[in-house]
């Protein structure tokens, strides 16, 4: 089933992202609330006109990719334009999970005190601890990550086009093309997809672990439980970790 059309780094970075996407699809309302926050912040930063606001354009594309209703998108834009709405702050937290697994949390909140005390409590309660911001940064690389439906495009021709725009990894799986770029090429890839008139299902900057740690099933279970609990917090946008997720492990979990 998997045709790995092009993989410069020689290993599949996608396993973690792909499975997480599967898990996230089950949490539809969570996805919506994340995108609504993204739209609201984008509007507060640079106005309600997507033509002149690349971040808003991207958030709207992600909203469409997640099949968010038009009225929900419009409400989020209006909320961002409302001068009296609560100010949202973007923030990150770092921590170690069970067995020292690195966990990186991105959050968007209107109350930093609440968020930080919640996240600290999750770590403490589940065999981990928060660490000073910046101490785990070096373990992750920020990458552009695009998921694009192949549709009736020719896979080889499309691959050549995206490599031309800076794709480092191109992986075709179940009719979706997963593209990874360096952070600096994120904008070029967005432009290239617009030129090709291709709507990505999702496009985001993600923190990809440079290397991953392998644990026994029991320890891995504990780490993923902590990740799930953090991810369920309404202020949390995304959680990254450097645990290896093998097929065997996912099956047994």
């Amino acid at each position: 089933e998997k045709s790995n059309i092009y993989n410069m780094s020689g290993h599949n970075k996608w396993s973690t992202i792909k499975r997480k996407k599967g898990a996230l699809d089950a949490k539809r309302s969570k996805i919506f609330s994340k995108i609504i926050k993204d739209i609201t912040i984008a509007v507060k930063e640079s106005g309600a006109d997507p033509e002149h606001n690349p971040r808003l354009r991207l958030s709207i594309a992600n909203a469409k990719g997640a099949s968010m209703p038009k009225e929900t998108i419009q409400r989020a834009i209006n909320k961002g334009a409302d001068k009296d709405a609560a100010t949202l702050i973007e923030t990150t937290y770092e921590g170690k999970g069970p067995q020292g697994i690195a966990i990186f949390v991105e959050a968007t909140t209107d109350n930093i005190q609440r968020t930080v005390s919640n996240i600290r409590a999750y770590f403490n309660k589940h065999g981990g601890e928060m660490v000073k911001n910046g101490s785990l940064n070096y373990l992750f690389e920020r990458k552009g990550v695009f998921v694009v439906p192949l549709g009736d495009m020719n896979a080889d021709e499309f691959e050549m086009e995206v490599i031309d725009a800076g794709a480092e990894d191109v992986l075709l799986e179940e009719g979706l093309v997963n593209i990874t770029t360096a952070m600096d090429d994120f904008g070029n890839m967005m432009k290239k997809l617009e030129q090709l008139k291709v709507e990505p299902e999702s496009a985001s900057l993600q923190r990809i672990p440079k290397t991953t740690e392998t644990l026994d099933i029991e320890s891995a279970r504990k780490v993923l439980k902590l990740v799930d609990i953090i991810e369920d917090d309404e202020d949390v946008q995304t959680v990254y970790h450097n645990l290896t997720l093998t097929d065997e492990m996912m099956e047994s979990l």
Side-chain angles (χ1 to χ4, degrees):
E1 177 57 39
K2 257 183 234 182
S3 96
N4 198 349
I5 18 184
Y6 175 77
N7 193 334
M8 223 157 96
S9 55
H11 67 274
N12 180 0
K13 291 198 191 104
W14 280 96
S15 51
T16 42
I17 297 161
K18 189 182 74 227
R19 292 209 180 78
K20 229 171 91 180
K21 187 179 177 321
L24 283 174
D25 285 345
K27 302 178 181 173
R28 194 154 192 74
S29 64
K30 176 74 183 176
I31 295 182
F32 276 16
S33 78
K34 281 173 150 176
I35 296 172
I36 287 166
K37 281 184 178 175
D38 271 345
I39 291 174
T40 308
I41 282 194
V43 172
K44 280 207 183 301
E45 273 181 1
S46 308
D49 179 5
E51 282 301 302
H52 298 104
N53 185 341
R55 180 166 177 181
L56 177 58
R57 219 165 41 240
L58 176 62
S59 300
I60 291 172
N62 283 335
K64 286 180 179 161
S67 312
M68 186 186 280
K70 276 204 177 72
E71 1 358 320
T72 311
I73 296 175
Q74 193 52 53
R75 268 204 307 277
I77 292 173
N78 298 347
K79 191 174 159 193
D82 177 2
K83 297 280 176 282
D84 301 325
T87 305
L88 290 172
I89 297 155
E90 293 181 286
T91 176
T92 62
Y93 303 100
E94 296 167 39
K96 295 273 179 79
Q99 307 284 340
I101 290 293
I103 295 178
F104 202 109
V105 181
E106 292 177 345
T108 302
T109 178
D110 56 7
N111 182 333
I112 289 254
Q113 277 71 28
R114 174 190 67 217
T115 310
V116 73
S117 71
N118 284 349
I119 289 174
R120 181 173 288 118
Y122 304 142
F123 274 107
N124 292 345
K125 215 191 230 154
H126 297 278
E129 57 166 350
M130 268 175 79
V131 298
K132 201 165 97 255
N133 262 12
S135 37
L136 301 179
N137 232 341
Y138 70 97
L139 293 171
F140 296 89
E141 281 177 289
R142 295 203 79 191
K143 297 276 185 192
V145 176
F146 299 81
V147 179
V148 178
L150 185 61
D152 45 18
M153 291 187 292
N154 175 298
D156 292 334
E157 284 171 18
F158 180 64
E159 180 200 349
M160 293 319 292
E161 290 279 6
V162 295
I163 289 171
D164 189 41
E168 293 180 345
D169 254 24
V170 183
L171 179 73
L172 179 60
E173 199 162 36
E174 292 161 16
L176 292 173
V177 186
N178 295 299
I179 303 165
T180 315
T181 71
M183 184 172 160
D184 294 346
D185 285 321
F186 185 79
N188 296 339
M189 188 60 68
M190 282 302 294
K191 281 201 193 81
K192 170 62 81 176
L193 294 174
E194 277 173 21
Q195 276 166 17
L196 295 171
K197 302 205 173 10
V198 173
E199 287 252 327
E201 204 170 272
S202 65
S204 56
L205 280 170
Q206 300 196 11
R207 295 171 200 271
I208 310 288
K210 291 179 187 171
T211 56
T212 55
E213 305 286 333
T214 307
L215 298 182
D216 62 275
I217 293 289
E218 215 25 68
S219 307
R221 205 183 289 266
K222 287 180 182 148
V223 172
L224 292 178
K225 182 178 181 189
L226 170 57
V227 167
D228 265 351
I229 286 166
I230 297 171
E231 220 162 40
D232 277 340
D233 187 285
E234 63 170 343
D235 299 328
V236 170
Q237 294 286 84
T238 322
V239 183
Y240 302 103
H241 59 77
N242 68 342
L243 171 68
T244 308
L245 296 178
T246 61
D247 288 333
E248 296 78 2
M249 186 184 287
M250 292 316 289
E251 271 155 34
S252 73
L253 294 170

